[in-house]
Amino acid sequence: MTGKRPTLMDVAEAAGVSRALVSIVMRDAPGASEATRLKVQAAARELGYRPDSRARLLRSSRTRLLGLSFSTAQAFHAEIVDAAYAGAMIRGYDIALSAVANGRPEARAVESLLDLGCEALIMISPALPPEELAGYAARLPVISLLRDDVGDSLDSVSSDDHAGIHLAVEHLVSLGHRRIAHVDGGQAVSSAQRRAAFQAEMTSRGLDARVVAGGPTEEDGLRAGRELQQDLPTAVVAFNDRCALGVWESFRAAGLRVPDDVSVLGYDDSQFARLSYVQLSSISQDAPLLARAAVDRAVDRLEGTTSAAHLVRTPHLVVRETTGRVPG
């Protein structure tokens, strides 16, 4: 069978049954005895037969594919992807992925998903302007995940950034911190919301709302951490966990101890926060819950719900080893 993809007829001949019976077994449809099923499955395994999903889709009026665009630069997105696969399987759908990467803009990632025949799109932290997103939403259901300022024609599933920052500031204040700085996310999605929430939280408590320019990567955190050392706060709330790790590393390189000299708190509760040698305190957005909610919303739109909706979930605080009481 080398050089040729095994067919249903090949399996039928190897198992000594009809092609129709093989088709029944492969589709897991009623009509074949258990003994026949076992014989056909054994023959298929031996031949290396795999059903041709492309042909099946061509025969069907539906693909049952949900397109998911994500950024390769964001580790948190990978956790959402994992959970989205599980959620789609429960609803009887599959996921097609398309990455936004260096040299591959978001619009290209989306067009690839449309070319595959995806019935709905889930876009993680879309950066396209609302009018472009609305153009896609006019063609099929589009769910914006982690961004809610996308207009009325799209669905959105997001985490409450104001509630998350409130939890972060409240936690640090409860530990005695008053000189708290925020390293923002630059131009990243949700950066403006978290920055505004931090300023509002600090002002409401009569505290100085110091904001340092940052970004979503470790390099951004390193740069911001060096700036913070010129007038060291007692605690830092970073835009996300990657940024927080950069801040943490800049302090460590300068001989500062976290949290003995300065506390560091991240955002996302990503896999980086859970590393054994880091144990970063962080605001959890509950990636699995967000992913499943986005998948459910996409399927609901496809199966009868016609109007767009905006779902907002409340994050929670995860305390680990990088936050402690104010020094002294």
Side-chain angles (χ1 to χ4, degrees):
M1 301 304 297
T2 57
K4 175 175 171 288
R5 181 185 178 122
T7 66
L8 279 178
M9 185 55 70
D10 294 325
V11 177
E13 291 176 356
V17 299
S18 69
R19 184 184 182 281
L21 266 178
V22 174
S23 177
I24 287 172
V25 173
M26 291 297 108
R27 291 184 288 111
D28 198 24
S33 68
E34 185 62 23
T36 298
R37 288 184 185 277
L38 293 174
K39 186 163 55 174
V40 169
Q41 290 165 355
R45 284 195 300 271
E46 185 175 343
L47 294 174
Y49 172 80
R50 290 179 59 82
D52 189 342
S53 58
R54 293 170 300 177
R56 185 175 67 251
L57 292 177
L58 288 173
R59 292 191 298 269
S60 171
S61 60
R62 294 192 59 185
T63 64
R64 301 190 74 82
L65 272 178
L66 305 178
L68 180 60
S69 64
F70 68 103
S71 171
T72 59
Q74 298 298 328
F76 183 58
H77 289 192
E79 299 184 40
I80 293 175
V81 168
D82 282 347
Y85 271 114
M89 185 178 299
I90 291 172
R91 299 297 300 269
Y93 284 74
D94 205 350
I95 294 286
L97 297 179
S98 191
V100 180
N102 288 334
R104 193 170 196 260
E106 189 171 40
R108 180 71 190 93
V110 171
E111 291 297 333
S112 294
L113 294 172
L114 296 178
D115 291 343
L116 288 172
C118 293
E119 297 185 359
L121 295 178
I122 299 172
M123 302 175 66
I124 306 178
S125 298
L128 292 173
E131 57 269 21
E132 290 189 44
L133 295 173
Y136 292 123
R139 301 164 62 181
L140 76 172
V142 179
I143 289 78
S144 170
L145 183 51
L146 303 184
R147 177 185 170 191
D148 58 7
D149 58 336
V150 290
D152 295 332
S153 61
L154 274 73
D155 291 74
S156 67
V157 176
S158 62
S159 180
D160 189 335
D161 287 317
H162 287 267
I165 293 297
H166 168 77
L167 290 171
V169 173
E170 183 177 59
H171 170 60
L172 294 172
V173 169
S174 73
L175 295 172
H177 295 278
R178 297 295 181 270
R179 298 181 62 245
I180 306 169
H182 175 55
V183 177
D184 73 11
Q187 299 302 311
V189 172
S190 296
S191 176
Q193 290 89 332
R194 293 178 194 175
R195 181 171 55 246
F198 176 79
Q199 291 169 329
E201 277 294 321
M202 294 293 284
T203 300
S204 70
R205 300 169 187 271
L207 303 175
D208 179 42
R210 180 184 177 189
V211 176
V212 173
T217 69
E218 291 88 347
E219 290 76 14
D220 296 318
L222 278 167
R223 185 179 63 253
R226 287 191 287 267
E227 180 178 341
L228 287 168
Q229 290 171 41
Q230 298 172 19
D231 181 17
L232 190 68
T234 63
V236 178
V237 178
F239 167 70
N240 66 7
D241 292 340
R242 291 184 63 190
C243 180
L245 285 180
V247 172
W248 178 81
E249 175 57 24
S250 75
F251 291 162
R252 188 200 64 79
L256 294 167
R257 299 166 300 167
V258 175
D260 294 340
D261 297 319
V262 55
S263 289
V264 177
L265 193 148
Y267 208 108
D268 287 342
D269 191 31
S270 66
Q271 58 187 357
F272 292 117
R274 301 188 290 271
L275 290 172
S276 60
Y277 65 91
V278 176
Q279 290 296 296
L280 178 71
S281 294
S282 186
I283 300 298
S284 172
Q285 298 196 74
D286 286 313
L289 290 179
L290 288 171
R292 285 196 292 270
V295 167
D296 285 341
R297 190 60 196 160
V299 174
D300 289 345
R301 287 294 304 278
L302 290 171
E303 297 185 353
T305 303
T306 56
S307 59
H310 302 283
L311 307 179
V312 181
R313 295 195 172 275
T314 302
H316 66 271
L317 171 70
V318 180
V319 179
R320 296 191 178 92
E321 298 178 8
T322 60
T323 52
R325 295 203 62 81
V326 63

